[in-house]
Amino acid sequence: VSSRLQDLVAHHVVQGRIIFPGVGYLEMARAAMVTGSTALHAVFFVQPLQIEASALLLECAMLGGRFEVRSGESGMSTDAAIHCTGSLMDRIECARVGSNGRHRICVHAAHIGALYERYDDAGLHYGPCYRGLVQAWGGVAGAVGRLRVRSTHEGTHV
């Protein structure tokens, strides 16, 4: 964890602590995948990573058809903390899973400003670069949202 990473995530604050964003774990897993025909599937966020020490190592380990993003002090061992885990799925199989014909109806539009205010009240302080949600709708069965188009990807894909 370098000062450059700390600068990049400095505006992702939860309960007064700088926390590594969930999309960062996904970006690491995507970068570690061997082939472009694989998709991430069944991703679980296990525990947050507080960014505070520059001596911390962060890695994405590929374990057969699974991945783990973990952190630890100088060298990973069995006591490394696991932050995110998931499986890799062939994109063809992923499309088959996603095409089950069920559609969720989300009819209630959310006020985005109020949504971020509620996040702020709950201790989730998203800085300007982390406020990418521009529209959202919800319903009994789920929610959908639209993210703003990024003007720069700064080397990221997720």
Side-chain angles (χ1 to χ4, degrees), residues 33 35-41 65 87-97:
M33 290 188 307
T35 66
S37 64
T38 305
L40 303 177
H41 178 71
S87 59
L88 305 175
M89 179 182 270
D90 184 273
R91 287 187 189 206
I92 294 169
E93 184 65 24
C94 187
R96 209 173 299 138
V97 168

CSV table of all heavy atoms in Angstrom, one decimal, residues 33 35-41 65 87-97:
chain,number,residue,atom,x,y,z
A,33,MET,N,-6.9,-12.0,-13.7
A,33,MET,CA,-7.4,-13.0,-14.5
A,33,MET,C,-6.5,-13.3,-15.7
A,33,MET,O,-6.0,-12.4,-16.3
A,33,MET,CB,-8.8,-12.7,-15.0
A,33,MET,CG,-9.8,-12.7,-13.9
A,33,MET,SD,-11.5,-12.5,-14.4
A,33,MET,CE,-11.5,-11.1,-15.5
A,35,THR,N,-7.3,-15.0,-18.7
A,35,THR,CA,-7.9,-14.9,-20.0
A,35,THR,C,-9.0,-13.8,-20.0
A,35,THR,O,-9.6,-13.5,-18.9
A,35,THR,CB,-8.6,-16.2,-20.5
A,35,THR,OG1,-9.7,-16.5,-19.6
A,35,THR,CG2,-7.6,-17.3,-20.5
A,36,GLY,N,-9.3,-13.2,-21.1
A,36,GLY,CA,-10.3,-12.2,-21.2
A,36,GLY,C,-11.7,-12.8,-21.3
A,36,GLY,O,-12.7,-12.1,-21.3
A,37,SER,N,-11.8,-14.2,-21.4
A,37,SER,CA,-13.1,-14.8,-21.6
A,37,SER,C,-13.7,-15.2,-20.3
A,37,SER,O,-14.7,-15.9,-20.2
A,37,SER,CB,-13.0,-16.0,-22.5
A,37,SER,OG,-12.1,-17.0,-21.9
A,38,THR,N,-13.1,-14.8,-19.2
A,38,THR,CA,-13.6,-15.1,-17.8
A,38,THR,C,-14.3,-13.9,-17.2
A,38,THR,O,-13.9,-12.8,-17.4
A,38,THR,CB,-12.4,-15.6,-17.0
A,38,THR,OG1,-11.8,-16.6,-17.6
A,38,THR,CG2,-12.9,-16.1,-15.6
A,39,ALA,N,-15.3,-14.2,-16.4
A,39,ALA,CA,-16.0,-13.1,-15.7
A,39,ALA,C,-16.0,-13.5,-14.2
A,39,ALA,O,-15.8,-14.6,-13.8
A,39,ALA,CB,-17.5,-13.1,-16.2
A,40,LEU,N,-16.1,-12.4,-13.4
A,40,LEU,CA,-16.2,-12.6,-11.9
A,40,LEU,C,-17.6,-13.1,-11.6
A,40,LEU,O,-18.6,-12.6,-12.1
A,40,LEU,CB,-15.8,-11.3,-11.2
A,40,LEU,CG,-14.5,-10.7,-11.5
A,40,LEU,CD1,-14.3,-9.4,-10.8
A,40,LEU,CD2,-13.4,-11.7,-11.2
A,41,HIS,N,-17.7,-14.0,-10.6
A,41,HIS,CA,-19.0,-14.5,-10.2
A,41,HIS,C,-19.0,-14.8,-8.7
A,41,HIS,O,-18.0,-15.1,-8.2
A,41,HIS,CB,-19.3,-15.8,-11.0
A,41,HIS,CG,-20.6,-16.4,-10.7
A,41,HIS,ND1,-21.8,-15.9,-11.0
A,41,HIS,CD2,-20.9,-17.6,-10.0
A,41,HIS,CE1,-22.8,-16.7,-10.6
A,41,HIS,NE2,-22.2,-17.7,-10.0
A,65,GLY,N,-10.3,-22.0,-9.8
A,65,GLY,CA,-11.4,-21.2,-10.3
A,65,GLY,C,-11.9,-20.2,-9.4
A,65,GLY,O,-13.0,-19.7,-9.5
A,87,SER,N,-15.6,-16.4,-7.4
A,87,SER,CA,-15.2,-17.4,-8.4
A,87,SER,C,-15.1,-16.8,-9.8
A,87,SER,O,-15.6,-15.7,-10.0
A,87,SER,CB,-16.2,-18.6,-8.3
A,87,SER,OG,-17.5,-18.1,-8.6
A,88,LEU,N,-14.4,-17.5,-10.6
A,88,LEU,CA,-14.3,-17.1,-12.0
A,88,LEU,C,-15.2,-18.0,-12.8
A,88,LEU,O,-15.3,-19.2,-12.6
A,88,LEU,CB,-12.8,-17.3,-12.5
A,88,LEU,CG,-11.8,-16.6,-11.6
A,88,LEU,CD1,-10.4,-17.0,-12.1
A,88,LEU,CD2,-12.0,-15.1,-11.6
A,89,MET,N,-15.9,-17.4,-13.8
A,89,MET,CA,-16.8,-18.1,-14.6
A,89,MET,C,-16.6,-17.8,-16.1
A,89,MET,O,-16.4,-16.6,-16.4
A,89,MET,CB,-18.2,-17.8,-14.2
A,89,MET,CG,-19.3,-18.4,-15.0
A,89,MET,SD,-21.0,-17.9,-14.4
A,89,MET,CE,-21.3,-19.1,-13.2
A,90,ASP,N,-16.7,-18.8,-16.9
A,90,ASP,CA,-16.6,-18.5,-18.4
A,90,ASP,C,-17.7,-17.6,-18.7
A,90,ASP,O,-18.9,-17.7,-18.3
A,90,ASP,CB,-16.7,-19.8,-19.1
A,90,ASP,CG,-16.5,-19.6,-20.6
A,90,ASP,OD1,-17.5,-19.3,-21.3
A,90,ASP,OD2,-15.3,-19.7,-21.1
A,91,ARG,N,-17.5,-16.6,-19.6
A,91,ARG,CA,-18.5,-15.6,-19.9
A,91,ARG,C,-19.7,-16.2,-20.6
A,91,ARG,O,-20.9,-15.8,-20.4
A,91,ARG,CB,-18.0,-14.5,-20.8
A,91,ARG,CG,-17.1,-13.6,-20.0
A,91,ARG,CD,-16.6,-12.4,-20.8
A,91,ARG,NE,-15.6,-11.7,-20.0
A,91,ARG,CZ,-15.4,-10.5,-20.1
A,91,ARG,NH1,-16.0,-9.7,-21.0
A,91,ARG,NH2,-14.4,-9.9,-19.3
A,92,ILE,N,-19.6,-17.3,-21.3
A,92,ILE,CA,-20.7,-18.0,-21.9
A,92,ILE,C,-21.6,-18.6,-20.8
A,92,ILE,O,-22.8,-18.4,-20.9
A,92,ILE,CB,-20.2,-19.1,-22.9
A,92,ILE,CG1,-19.5,-18.5,-24.1
A,92,ILE,CG2,-21.4,-19.9,-23.4
A,92,ILE,CD1,-18.8,-19.4,-25.0
A,93,GLU,N,-21.0,-19.2,-19.8
A,93,GLU,CA,-21.8,-19.7,-18.7
A,93,GLU,C,-22.4,-18.6,-17.9
A,93,GLU,O,-23.6,-18.7,-17.5
A,93,GLU,CB,-20.9,-20.6,-17.8
A,93,GLU,CG,-21.6,-21.2,-16.7
A,93,GLU,CD,-22.6,-22.3,-17.1
A,93,GLU,OE1,-22.4,-22.8,-18.2
A,93,GLU,OE2,-23.5,-22.5,-16.4
A,94,CYS,N,-21.7,-17.5,-17.8
A,94,CYS,CA,-22.3,-16.3,-17.1
A,94,CYS,C,-23.5,-15.8,-17.8
A,94,CYS,O,-24.5,-15.5,-17.2
A,94,CYS,CB,-21.2,-15.3,-16.9
A,94,CYS,SG,-21.6,-13.9,-15.9
A,95,ALA,N,-23.5,-15.7,-19.1
A,95,ALA,CA,-24.6,-15.2,-19.9
A,95,ALA,C,-25.8,-16.2,-19.7
A,95,ALA,O,-26.9,-15.7,-19.6
A,95,ALA,CB,-24.2,-15.1,-21.3
A,96,ARG,N,-25.5,-17.5,-19.6
A,96,ARG,CA,-26.6,-18.5,-19.4
A,96,ARG,C,-27.3,-18.3,-18.1
A,96,ARG,O,-28.5,-18.3,-18.0
A,96,ARG,CB,-26.0,-19.9,-19.6
A,96,ARG,CG,-27.0,-20.9,-20.1
A,96,ARG,CD,-26.3,-22.2,-20.3
A,96,ARG,NE,-25.3,-22.1,-21.3
A,96,ARG,CZ,-24.1,-22.8,-21.3
A,96,ARG,NH1,-23.8,-23.5,-20.2
A,96,ARG,NH2,-23.2,-22.7,-22.2
A,97,VAL,N,-26.5,-18.0,-17.0
A,97,VAL,CA,-27.0,-17.8,-15.7
A,97,VAL,C,-27.9,-16.5,-15.7
A,97,VAL,O,-28.9,-16.4,-15.1
A,97,VAL,CB,-25.9,-17.7,-14.7
A,97,VAL,CG1,-26.4,-17.2,-13.3
A,97,VAL,CG2,-25.2,-19.0,-14.5
